[in-house]
Amino acid sequence: MFTRMLGNCTVSDVSRAENWYARLFGRAPDARPMDRLIEWHLAPGIGVQVFADPERAGHSTVVLEVADLDAQAERLLESGIEHHGPQPGGGARILQLQDPNGNRVVLASPLVGLSR
């Protein structure tokens, strides 16, 4: 029934946020579907949108699973995104990040032992 899922982070200024999210994802956005909206397509049918909505900015949370959490943590530090390193959380290891507006972006290691 559903063929695509896009998480959404609301920000006060999409141009300012683009710099942070480009460092997070390691590349420029994949699409600019409309004014004040940018998208990264992360896998078939999965993506993240960053949308300028100053009244709602900073109240979003997105959780993304990554194959190598330690490598991502190191890459992010090298790109200037500060964090406190991977921690246990929710049956996995997680890396909690915060964008310039305060949106929470959580990277998680694959959950071991769970069937998909």
Side-chain angles (χ1 to χ4, degrees):
M1 176 162 84
F2 300 106
T3 60
R4 191 167 187 206
M5 202 301 271
L6 297 171
N8 185 278
C9 290
T10 53
V11 299
S12 59
D13 180 334
V14 77
S15 296
R16 182 176 72 139
E18 182 176 348
N19 178 24
W20 191 87
Y21 283 91
R23 288 183 287 137
L24 172 66
F25 297 124
R27 59 190 168 81
D30 295 303
R32 297 174 189 276
M34 58 187 252
D35 189 39
R36 303 181 307 140
L37 176 65
I38 53 179
E39 292 181 354
W40 279 265
H41 304 150
L42 306 176
I46 299 171
V48 172
Q49 295 181 319
V50 176
F51 181 66
D53 184 349
E55 291 182 17
R56 293 182 35 226
H59 298 286
S60 304
T61 299
V62 174
V63 179
L64 302 166
E65 188 175 286
V66 297
D68 188 338
L69 187 63
D70 294 313
Q72 289 297 320
E74 183 62 31
R75 183 188 66 77
L76 292 170
L77 284 175
E78 290 171 2
S79 74
I81 296 179
E82 295 184 17
H83 56 77
H84 298 291
Q87 307 165 19
R93 291 176 65 231
I94 61 172
L95 180 66
Q96 297 188 57
L97 307 170
Q98 195 169 61
D99 79 4
N101 277 115
N103 292 305
R104 185 178 308 191
V105 177
V106 179
L107 303 184
S109 63
L111 299 173
V112 177
L114 293 180
S115 61
R116 297 198 180 244

